[in-house]
C-alpha cells in the first residue's frame, strides 16, 4: 500500500525539521550562502513520499516507488537533468510535491468514505442526522479533490518539465474550495458528536475500534481521517509558499503563485473563522449567564466580541496601599474576563457566579510592570483604566501566580505594548527564531497551536519556560511552552527565513499600501 496522507505529512515535516537543523549547524559562511541553503530545505522534505511518474495516473497508481521528480525513469532517461539549472530542478520538485501530496490526500479521503462512512454496520448504528454531523460534506470535499488532482495530473503529463501548477491551484481555490469552509466550520459539532457517540453507543465504539485495526488504516485513528480536510487546506497554502520561494522574481510563475497563495489564505482564514464563530458564540452565552452586575449592566453577547483571556489575579487592597508592606493579607482574589474590546473585573461569589464591580474598553487600558520590589511583590503589575465604569480613571495593583502569567496578562491587556524582541513586521534585520519540533494544541485563548516545522519569531520569553511568538507563514501570535521548539541559532538561516516571508507576503504589503493611500486621499 502507498502512504496515507497522515504518514506522508508527518514524514515530510519531520524531514523538514532535520534539514533545518543541519542548516542551522553550518556556521562557516563558506559552506553555503543563504540563497543556496534555504531553497533546498524543502526538497527532501516536500517530496519524500511522492508516488507517481508523470505518464501514470496518480489516482490509479498510488504505490509508485519514486519519491522525487528527478528519480522518475522518464526524467532520468530524458537527459533533462543535465540541461536544467539547479534552481529550476528545485522548483520542479516543489511543484511535483504539491501534485503527489494531493494524490496521497485523495487516497486517505477515499478510505474515510469507503472504509468508515459506507460501512454497513456503522450505517445501521448511526441515525441519519448523526452521520450527517460526523461526516458533514466529505463527499463534496472528495469530489473537489478528485477534480483538482485530475487537472494537476493532466498538467504533469503535458510535458516532462512541469510548466506551472499554481494557476490550477488558483482556479480551483476560487471556484471549488468553498466546500472546505463548510466542512471545517462543522468541526466543533463534529468533535462533540464523535465524543458523545463513543460515550453513549457501545456498538459504535466497537465498530470504530474494529475498523481502525484494519491494515488499510495503518494504525491511524478514525479522528485522524476526520480532520484531514482542515489539515490539507492549511498545508496546501504552505506548499504554494514553498513554490513561491523558488520561482524567479517578477516572473509569470511568481504572479500565479502570489495569486494562488492569496486565495488560499482567504479560504484558510474563513475556515478558522468558521470554527471560532461556533465555539465563541456558545462561550459568550455561558459567560453571560455567570455574571451579576454590581455596577451598571454591560451587554456581553455581541457578534463582534470574543474572549481573549480569563482568570484569577490577586489585587492589592486599597488604591494607595504602601508598596513597602510585606504581607500576603495585602491581596485579595479578583477575576478578570478580557474580551477583544472590553475588560470586566469581578469577584467570584457562591454558585459559580461572578459579581462585576468594574469594566473598561480594552483600548483604554494601560499596564506597567513593577521591578525589584522583593518577594511579596514579585510578578506584580499596575493596570490602569483610563476610563472605567464610573467614567473616571482607576488603577489596580495586581499580582500573578508566575512570571509567565504576569507577562501573558500584560500583553493581552495592552497588545501594543513593546515586547522584549521586535516583531518581524518591523523589518528588523535579525530576530530570535524557533522551529516547532513537537506539535502543541492551545489550552487557553491566548495560546498558539503549533504544527511540526512551524517557524516563529520570538517576541518575548519568560524564565519559567514560555515563549510569545509570531508564526512567519500567517503572522498568528500566541504563547506556547519553550519545550515545544528549538531555537534557530544561525543568523543566515534566520535572515533567509525573514526574506522568504517578506516575499510571500509582499502582495499583502502592496495591497495595504494601496489601501493606505486611498484612506489618505
Amino acid at each position: 500500500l502507498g502512504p496515507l496522507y497522515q504518514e506522508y505529512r508527518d514524514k515530510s515535516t519531520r524531514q523538514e525539521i532535520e534539514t533545518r537543523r543541519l542548516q542551522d549547524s553550518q556556521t562557516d559562511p563558506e559552506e553555503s550562502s543563504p540563497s543556496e541553503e534555504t531553497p533546498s530545505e524543502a526538497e527532501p522534505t516536500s517530496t519524500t513520499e511522492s508516488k507517481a511518474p508523470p505518464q501514470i495516473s496518480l489516482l490509479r497508481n498510488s504505490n509508485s516507488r519514486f519519491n522525487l521528480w528527478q528519480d522518475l525513469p522518464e526524467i532520468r532517461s530524458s537527459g533533462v537533468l543535465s540541461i536544467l539549472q539547479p534552481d529550476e530542478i528545485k522548483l520542479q520538485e516543489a511543484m511535483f510535491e504539491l501534485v503527489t501530496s494531493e494524490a496521497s490526500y485523495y487516497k486517505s479521503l477515499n478510505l474515510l468514505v469507503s472504509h468508515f462512512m459506507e460501512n454497513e454496520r456503522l450505517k445501521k448504528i448511526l441515525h441519519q442526522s448523526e452521520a450527517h454531523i460526523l461526516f458533514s460534506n466529505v463527499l463534496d470535499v472528495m469530489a473537489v479533490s478528485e477534480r483538482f488532482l485530475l487537472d494537476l495530473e493532466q498538467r504533469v503529463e503535458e510535458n516532462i518539465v512541469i510548466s506551472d501548477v499554481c494557476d490550477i491551484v488558483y482556479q480551483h481555490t476560487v471556484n471549488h474550495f468553498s466546500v472546505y469552509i463548510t466542512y471545517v466550520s462543522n468541526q466543533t459539532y463534529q468533535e462533540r458528536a464523535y465524543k458523545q457517540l463513543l460515550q453513549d453507543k457501545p456498538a459504535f465504539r466497537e465498530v470504530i475500534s474494529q475498523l481502525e485495526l484494519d491494515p488499510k488504516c495503518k494504525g491511524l485513528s478514525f479522528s485522524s481521517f476526520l480532520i484531514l480536510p482542515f489539515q490539507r487546506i492549511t498545508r496546501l497554502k504552505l506548499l504554494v509558499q514553498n513554490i513561491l520561494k523558488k520561482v524567479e522574481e517578477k516572473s509569470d510563475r511568481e504572479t500565479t503563485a502570489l495569486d494562488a497563495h492569496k486565495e488560499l489564505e482567504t479560504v484558510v482564514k474563513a475556515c478558522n473563522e468558521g470554527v471560532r464563530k461556533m465555539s465563541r458564540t456558545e462561550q459568550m452565552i455561558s459567560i453571560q449567564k455567570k455574571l451579576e452586575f454590581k455596577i451598571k449592566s454591560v451587554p456581553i453577547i455581541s457578534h463582534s466580541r470574543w474572549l481573549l483571556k480569563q482568570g484569577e489575579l490577586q489585587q492589592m487592597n486599597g488604591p494607595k496601599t504602601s508598596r513597602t508592606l510585606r504581607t500576603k493579607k495585602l491581596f485579595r482574589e479578583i477575576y478578570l474576563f478580557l474580551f477583544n474590546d472590553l475588560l470586566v473585573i469581578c469577584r467570584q461569589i457562591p454558585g459559580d457566579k461572578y459579581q462585576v464591580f468594574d469594566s473598561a474598553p480594552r483600548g483604554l487600558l494601560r499596564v506597567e510592570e513593577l521591578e525589584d520590589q522583593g518577594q511579596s511583590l514579585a510578578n506584580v503589575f499596575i493596570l490602569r483604566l483610563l476610563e472605567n465604569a464610573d467614567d473616571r480613571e482607576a488603577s489596580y495593583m495586581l499580582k500573578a501566580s508566575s512570571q509567565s502569567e504576569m507577562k501573558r496578562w500584560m500583553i493581552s491587556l495592552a497588545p501594543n505594548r513593546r515586547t522584549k524582541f521586535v516583531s518581524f513586521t518591523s523589518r528588523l534585520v535579525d530576530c530570535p527564531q524557533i522551529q516547532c519540533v513537537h506539535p502543541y494544541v492551545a489550552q487557553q485563548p491566548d495560546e498558539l497551536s503549533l504544527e511540526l516545522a512551524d517557524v516563529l519569531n520570538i517576541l518575548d520569553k519568560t524564565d519559567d519556560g514560555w515563549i510569545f511568538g509570531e508564526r512567519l507563514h500567517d503572522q498568528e501570535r500566541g504563547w506556547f511552552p519553550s519545550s515545544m521548539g528549538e531555537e534557530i541559532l544561525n543568523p543566515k538561516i534566520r535572515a533567509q527565513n525573514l526574506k522568504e516571508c517578506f516575499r510571500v507576503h509582499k502582495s499583502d504589503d502592496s495591497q495595504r499600501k494601496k489601501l493606505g493611500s486611498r484612506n489618505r486621499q
Side-chain angles (χ1 to χ4, degrees), residues 10-11 30 38 46 87 108 128 148 200 208 219 224 281 307 344 359 369 375 430 433 454 469-470 474 482 507 513 516:
D10 185 59
K11 191 170 183 179
E30 297 300 318
T38 305
S46 327
D87 285 348
S108 290
Q128 189 174 355
F148 181 41
D200 297 346
I208 289 295
S224 77
T281 301
L307 183 72
V344 175
S359 66
E369 184 176 353
Q375 186 58 40
D430 196 13
Q433 289 179 3
D454 277 352
E470 183 173 61
D474 61 4
S482 56
S507 61
K513 286 175 184 175

Side-chain angles (χ1 to χ4, degrees), residues 65-221:
R65 302 183 309 279
F66 307 111
N67 297 329
L68 299 171
W69 174 80
Q70 58 193 298
D71 290 338
L72 298 172
E74 293 84 353
I75 305 302
R76 289 285 182 195
S77 61
S78 69
V80 73
L81 293 175
S82 61
I83 301 170
L84 294 178
Q85 294 294 318
D87 285 348
E88 179 61 34
I89 293 174
K90 292 169 184 175
L91 175 58
Q92 291 294 312
E93 296 289 9
M95 292 191 289
F96 186 65
E97 197 263 342
L98 187 145
V99 180
T100 52
S101 65
E102 188 65 29
S104 178
Y105 167 63
Y106 176 79
K107 177 180 178 178
S108 290
L109 279 182
N110 200 16
L111 188 59
L112 171 61
V113 171
S114 62
H115 187 61
F116 290 99
M117 182 178 173
E118 294 178 350
N119 179 270
E120 290 301 323
R121 288 176 63 197
L122 205 57
K123 286 163 79 172
K124 289 176 182 177
I125 294 168
L126 293 176
H127 188 273
Q128 189 174 355
S129 61
E130 293 171 329
H132 177 69
I133 294 173
L134 201 57
F135 295 102
S136 190
N137 64 327
V138 70
L139 292 176
D140 296 335
V141 173
M142 190 169 76
V144 164
S145 174
E146 181 173 3
R147 192 183 304 126
F148 181 41
L149 181 56
L150 287 170
D151 283 353
L152 290 170
E153 285 183 328
Q154 186 177 353
R155 177 61 58 81
V156 169
E157 292 170 0
E158 285 175 0
N159 196 305
I160 201 163
V161 177
I162 306 168
S163 59
D164 197 2
V165 294
C166 289
D167 56 330
I168 297 173
V169 175
Y170 172 80
Q171 291 296 335
H172 281 262
T173 306
V174 170
N175 297 318
H176 307 299
F177 282 7
S178 59
V179 297
Y180 281 96
I181 301 172
T182 304
Y183 186 93
V184 175
S185 296
N186 182 56
Q187 188 176 317
T188 301
Y189 297 122
Q190 183 188 63
E191 290 174 354
R192 185 180 303 158
Y194 180 49
K195 288 177 183 176
Q196 201 67 43
L197 286 166
L198 288 174
Q199 183 178 322
D200 297 346
K201 292 192 174 183
F204 172 81
R205 188 168 61 244
E206 181 185 345
V207 171
I208 289 295
S209 297
Q210 289 175 358
L211 292 175
E212 287 176 335
L213 291 172
D214 192 293
K216 293 178 189 173
C217 295
K218 299 189 175 183
L220 295 164
S221 68

Side-chain angles (χ1 to χ4, degrees), residues 7-17 42 44-49 97 235 239 453:
E7 301 172 294
Y8 182 108
R9 187 170 176 269
D10 185 59
K11 191 170 183 179
S12 174
T13 49
R14 289 286 179 192
Q15 194 161 349
E16 187 175 345
I17 289 169
T45 64
S46 327
T47 57
T48 22
E49 295 294 335
E97 197 263 342
R235 184 67 177 170
L239 293 173

Side-chain angles (χ1 to χ4, degrees), residues 91 94-95 166 237-251 253-262 500-507:
L91 175 58
M95 292 191 289
C166 289
K237 188 186 82 165
L238 297 180
L239 293 173
V240 170
Q241 281 188 10
N242 191 37
I243 292 171
L244 183 52
K245 295 171 187 176
K246 294 171 173 56
V247 294
E248 53 277 30
E249 292 194 45
K250 299 181 180 178
S251 65
R253 290 196 291 194
E254 183 187 52
T255 301
T256 58
L258 284 169
D259 290 344
H261 181 267
K262 183 179 177 183
E500 290 175 348
C501 184
F502 298 153
R503 186 179 179 191
V504 165
H505 293 285
K506 71 179 181 181
S507 61

Side-chain angles (χ1 to χ4, degrees), residues 385-412:
L385 283 55
L386 301 185
E387 187 178 302
N388 73 349
D390 297 325
D391 298 324
R392 60 181 177 83
E393 187 172 328
S395 292
Y396 294 90
M397 188 178 291
L398 303 175
K399 181 179 175 69
S401 59
S402 64
Q403 185 197 42
S404 59
E405 190 64 12
M406 178 189 71
K407 285 199 171 189
R408 286 170 68 163
W409 270 112
M410 291 178 72
I411 286 176
S412 295

